[in-house]
Amino acid sequence: MKTTLLTIAMLSALALLATACTADIRPETDPGTGGSGAALVPVSLRVTLENGEAATRAATYTNLTKEGAVVTLTMLTAGGTGYYANRYHTPYTLTDGRWVTTPPIYVDNRTADQVIACYDPNTKTAFEATGTQTPIAVSKYNEDLLWYYDNTHRSINSTNAALDIKLKCAYSRLSLKLSRAESYMGDCKITRVRIASADGSLITAATVDMTDGTLTNATAHGYTIDFTGTPLANDGLAVNAPDESVDLLFPAQTLTAGLVVALKVDGFDVQTSVPPAKFSDSALKQGVHYSLHIGFAAVEVKVEQVTVEDWTLTNLSDNYTPEL
């Protein structure tokens, strides 16, 4: 009789354990039916990279087709009973033309507040394991530094689990096109270029949060390039031979007072201003390439125009090899 009671007790304990496991199914990892009885749907991806806006058209997109490329997903929710746990930086790998992760992420009829996709092909970010913030700073343009994210996907559940990821470069790009008119009488030797804002608010280093693109822990001051010892300083800028060597990546930001470009030319300090209205939405926008055309004439130095240039990326295909 004691043996029978022991057996019944063991069976009861196993039944309770099974019930607890069923109630604790995690929809984000396990197929089947969630605790609410709703069907689970795997999160799937289609991934493109934005080529950037241009003056004559809206942004265009190119499929990310590099086999073995990794895009990470971060799924966030406000929390509370019955909601998903936050998931950070789950890697999806492009394998035989499909974006896959193991185990898959499943969603049911509950709603995740936001899903953020990030593509960092050369490991330039420094996210914490459970974080969405990373340092970002001005630097000379180098495609190997670029990373991308898409934070536009909201209210994700089983009815919209197929995500159309459109990755945008985390930086804004700012370049100068320096040209000399025949009327300029000096040698046009340029030894220094400094880019700043009139009110000192131009951010050159910060921490960016990819949930909304906000910048914190910001350092706001200008950025200076020294051309001493270069042909631009030694030989000067020739007529009909524009110089485009100033090509920079900036943290995307609002321009409250526009930009001031100060140059040392033939030993003299000159500067020209660019009002914020010359930039789209008075900002250095994420994923946009701005080119400032600065002309040197007989009696003045001025910004002749600000254009939004094509920014077509090259690291999209299998045969791309970063320059060392």
Side-chain angles (χ1 to χ4, degrees):
M1 186 66 177
K2 290 181 180 179
T3 302
T4 303
L5 289 173
L6 180 59
T7 302
I8 292 173
M10 290 177 64
L11 290 173
S12 298
L14 289 172
L16 287 171
L17 180 60
T19 301
C21 290
T22 302
D24 289 341
I25 285 178
R26 298 185 62 191
E28 56 266 34
T29 58
D30 297 333
T33 302
S36 63
L40 299 177
V41 176
V43 174
S44 60
L45 310 183
R46 175 180 179 268
V47 181
T48 56
L49 279 89
E50 182 182 293
N51 290 319
E53 299 175 7
T56 57
R57 56 158 175 78
T60 60
Y61 295 86
T62 302
N63 287 326
L64 180 56
T65 59
K66 187 178 181 181
E67 188 73 6
V70 176
V71 169
T72 61
L73 287 192
T74 294
M75 188 169 75
L76 303 174
T77 185
T81 303
Y83 286 85
Y84 307 111
N86 288 343
R87 294 176 61 89
Y88 294 90
H89 313 299
T90 300
Y92 277 73
T93 304
L94 187 61
T95 306
D96 297 328
R98 296 178 60 250
W99 293 96
V100 297
T101 189
T102 303
I105 296 178
Y106 286 84
V107 289
D108 56 22
N109 61 352
R110 297 172 297 166
T111 298
D113 294 334
Q114 184 179 25
V115 172
I116 307 167
C118 180
Y119 176 49
D120 182 10
N122 296 301
T123 319
K124 298 302 179 181
T125 57
F127 294 108
E128 294 184 359
T130 57
T132 58
Q133 298 182 337
T134 187
I136 190 169
V138 63
S139 64
K140 294 181 180 179
Y141 181 81
N142 183 337
E143 196 162 305
D144 292 349
L145 298 177
L146 304 184
W147 59 279
Y148 318 79
Y149 66 93
D150 178 1
N151 61 9
T152 62
H153 298 275
R154 309 277 177 168
S155 303
I156 305 302
N157 56 36
S158 56
T159 66
N160 59 354
L163 304 182
D164 187 7
I165 303 298
K166 294 182 177 180
L167 295 163
K168 186 189 292 282
C169 182
Y171 289 94
S172 184
R173 183 176 175 185
L174 179 68
S175 61
L176 305 185
K177 184 175 183 179
L178 307 176
S179 62
R180 173 187 175 185
E182 290 185 3
S183 61
Y184 186 85
M185 302 304 294
D187 295 323
C188 207
K189 295 181 178 180
I190 302 172
T191 53
R192 186 180 68 241
V193 173
R194 179 173 172 80
I195 301 172
S197 59
D199 63 354
S201 64
L202 182 65
I203 295 173
T204 53
T207 299
V208 61
D209 191 332
M210 65 176 179
T211 61
D212 55 11
T214 56
L215 300 177
T216 56
N217 304 317
T219 299
H221 55 63
Y223 185 80
T224 301
I225 301 173
D226 186 354
F227 286 101
T228 303
T230 69
L232 194 60
N234 294 338
D235 304 326
L237 185 62
V239 176
N240 297 322
D243 180 88
E244 300 181 59
S245 60
V246 179
D247 194 355
L248 304 171
L249 295 170
F250 269 88
Q253 58 191 285
T254 299
L255 296 175
T256 58
L259 296 182
V260 175
V261 181
L263 310 97
K264 183 173 282 292
V265 186
D266 293 334
F268 296 97
D269 291 319
V270 297
Q271 70 177 39
T272 184
S273 299
V274 192
K278 288 285 187 180
F279 297 88
S280 48
D281 299 325
S282 298
L284 295 176
K285 292 175 62 177
Q286 182 186 337
V288 180
H289 176 196
Y290 301 93
S291 178
L292 276 59
H293 298 227
I294 298 178
F296 298 88
V299 295
E300 63 180 350
V301 177
K302 66 177 182 178
V303 175
E304 297 172 338
Q305 64 181 124
V306 179
T307 60
V308 178
E309 303 284 355
D310 285 312
W311 186 357
T312 301
L313 305 168
T314 61
N315 59 346
L316 306 178
S317 60
D318 295 340
N319 58 9
Y320 171 71
T321 302
E323 295 181 2
L324 300 179

